[in-house]
């Protein structure tokens, strides 16, 4: 199955989502932080539709090296890679109170067919910037499948005069794109009418990551992946009448691979609405 067919299946599934639910457009990039470095995980776009017991997502992710004027890319920097994917997620029909278990399957495609070079270079040209020169050495074509299962547990909490909640998350994934375990929690508090803040840590245990380890079935560029890295995230949610719900967030991550220069930051913005 080609990358374009995978994307088309996901897009058609989204368009045929006639049942009431929540639409979301999520854009991730390090230009949403104060430290715009334009490398590593440099761009992500995800469009999704979710109702009470299922969600469908279609997206693209782009990864690049630090020094983008060098060709080939330095061997101690993250490989160039594009990734197109669609995910189908099913939530439990009768979950325990305060919990939301789910299972998911993600189908995707790594390589030139994922259009990472075309997307990044197209934006750079519009901004009057040069196209990164390391794309000829991007990861080779490889279809991907990832199975996921997890749950979220929500509990109420009070802080001073504000009511909030704590969400505990656990997710396991298995596949040739990524294999590992993610543990985390998020605290949410309402600061004012229409304004909610959230923050919390996560621990990523990583047994495999194609964007660090390189192609699964053939030799390709790679770096020395760390088995674990931590993440601290936070942001705000704004609910304004007659406008989509707007969420801004930032994530600060420890080193994901040994050659990485230090912590890495990226952020994002999401617009969501009910249909």
């Amino acid at each position: 199955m080609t990358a374009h067919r995978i994307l088309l299946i996901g897009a058609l599934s989204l368009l045929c989502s006639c049942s009431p639910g929540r639409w979301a457009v999520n854009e991730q990039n390090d230009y949403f932080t104060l430290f715009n470095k334009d490398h590593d995980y440099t761009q992500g776009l995800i469009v999704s539709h979710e109702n009470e017991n299922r969600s469908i997502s279609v997206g693209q992710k782009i990864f690049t090296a630090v020094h983008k004027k060098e060709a080939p890319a330095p061997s101690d920097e993250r490989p160039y890679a594009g990734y197109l994917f669609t995910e189908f997620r099913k939530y439990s029909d009768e979950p325990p109170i305060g919990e939301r278990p789910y299972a998911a399957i993600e189908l995707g495609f790594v390589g030139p067919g994922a259009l990472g070079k075309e997307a990044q270079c197209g934006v750079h040209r519009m901004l009057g910037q040069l196209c990164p020169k390391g794309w000829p050495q991007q990861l080779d074509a490889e279809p991907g499948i990832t199975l996921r299962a997890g749950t979220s547990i929500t509990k109420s909490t009070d802080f001073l005069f504000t009511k909030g909640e704590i969400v505990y998350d656990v997710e396991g994934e298995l596949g040739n794109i990524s294999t590992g375990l993610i543990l985390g929690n998020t605290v949410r508090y309402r600061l004012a009418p229409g304004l909610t803040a959230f923050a919390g840590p996560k621990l990523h245990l990583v047994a495999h990551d194609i964007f660090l380890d390189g192609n699964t079935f053939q030799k390709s560029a790679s770096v020395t992946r760390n088995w674990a890295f931590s993440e601290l995230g936070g942001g705000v949610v704004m609910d304004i009448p007659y406008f989509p719900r707007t969420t801004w967030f930032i994530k600060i991550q420890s080193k994901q691979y040994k050659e990485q220069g230090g912590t890495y930051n990226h952020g994002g913005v999401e617009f969501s609405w009910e249909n």
Side-chain angles (χ1 to χ4, degrees):
M1 183 179 291
T2 67
H4 300 86
R5 289 179 180 175
I6 291 173
L7 184 63
L8 180 60
I9 290 172
L12 290 175
S13 299
L14 282 174
L15 293 174
C16 294
S17 298
C18 301
S19 59
R22 172 179 172 268
W23 285 89
V25 178
N26 186 301
E27 164 71 11
Q28 302 176 25
N29 198 296
D30 55 9
Y31 61 60
F32 289 108
T33 74
L34 299 176
F35 312 98
N36 184 2
K37 299 179 180 179
D38 195 25
H39 59 73
D40 286 289
Y41 175 43
T42 184
Q43 162 68 20
L45 176 64
I46 303 171
V47 180
S48 61
H49 182 274
E50 178 181 325
N51 63 18
E52 291 184 355
N53 58 11
R54 66 108 179 93
S55 70
I56 304 170
S57 302
V58 175
Q60 182 191 52
K61 295 182 179 181
I62 299 174
F63 303 84
T64 65
V66 176
H67 296 91
K68 293 178 289 301
K69 295 182 179 180
E70 297 186 24
S75 60
D76 60 349
E77 296 182 8
R78 180 193 283 271
Y80 281 75
Y83 180 50
L84 278 177
F85 65 92
T86 181
E87 184 199 71
F88 302 89
R89 181 172 296 200
K90 179 68 170 63
Y91 296 93
S92 174
D93 292 325
E94 297 181 0
I97 296 176
E99 296 187 28
R100 203 180 190 201
Y102 62 86
I105 180 171
E106 181 180 286
L107 303 175
F109 196 90
V110 177
L115 306 178
K117 174 185 177 181
E118 288 75 7
Q120 186 179 53
C121 293
V123 172
H124 278 218
R125 280 193 292 268
M126 287 190 295
L127 298 176
Q129 301 172 352
L130 295 176
C131 178
K133 295 184 177 180
W135 277 109
Q137 290 78 45
Q138 67 177 297
L139 296 185
D140 292 326
E142 180 175 332
I145 180 171
T146 304
L147 303 177
R148 294 191 176 93
T151 189
S152 295
I153 302 173
T154 303
K155 296 185 177 182
S156 298
T157 183
D158 294 331
F159 179 73
L160 297 177
F161 303 104
T162 304
K163 291 186 177 297
E165 59 185 19
I166 301 178
V167 182
Y168 299 92
D169 295 298
V170 57
E171 178 180 84
E173 54 186 7
L174 175 65
N176 67 308
I177 300 298
S178 57
T179 297
L181 181 67
I182 304 172
L183 306 171
N185 63 72
T186 303
V187 180
R188 299 173 180 161
Y189 284 107
R190 184 184 182 192
L191 301 179
L195 184 64
T196 302
F198 61 92
K202 283 187 177 181
L203 175 64
H204 296 251
L205 304 176
V206 187
H208 174 69
D209 184 338
I210 193 172
F211 307 112
L212 299 174
D213 296 323
N215 285 108
T216 309
F217 309 108
Q218 54 189 312
K219 186 176 180 180
S220 66
S222 65
V223 288
T224 310
R225 169 182 46 80
N226 288 330
W227 285 91
F229 69 92
S230 59
E231 173 182 301
L232 180 62
V236 293
V237 181
M238 294 174 288
D239 286 294
I240 302 174
Y242 309 110
F243 286 89
R245 169 177 287 186
T246 302
T247 303
W248 172 84
F249 60 90
I250 184 173
K251 297 179 181 180
I252 303 172
Q253 298 173 331
S254 65
K255 294 173 60 172
Q256 296 185 39
Y257 55 99
K258 297 188 184 302
E259 297 90 345
Q260 195 169 14
T263 59
Y264 182 70
N265 312 306
H266 73 271
V269 62
E270 179 179 280
F271 300 101
S272 61
W273 62 94
E274 302 290 331
N275 70 318

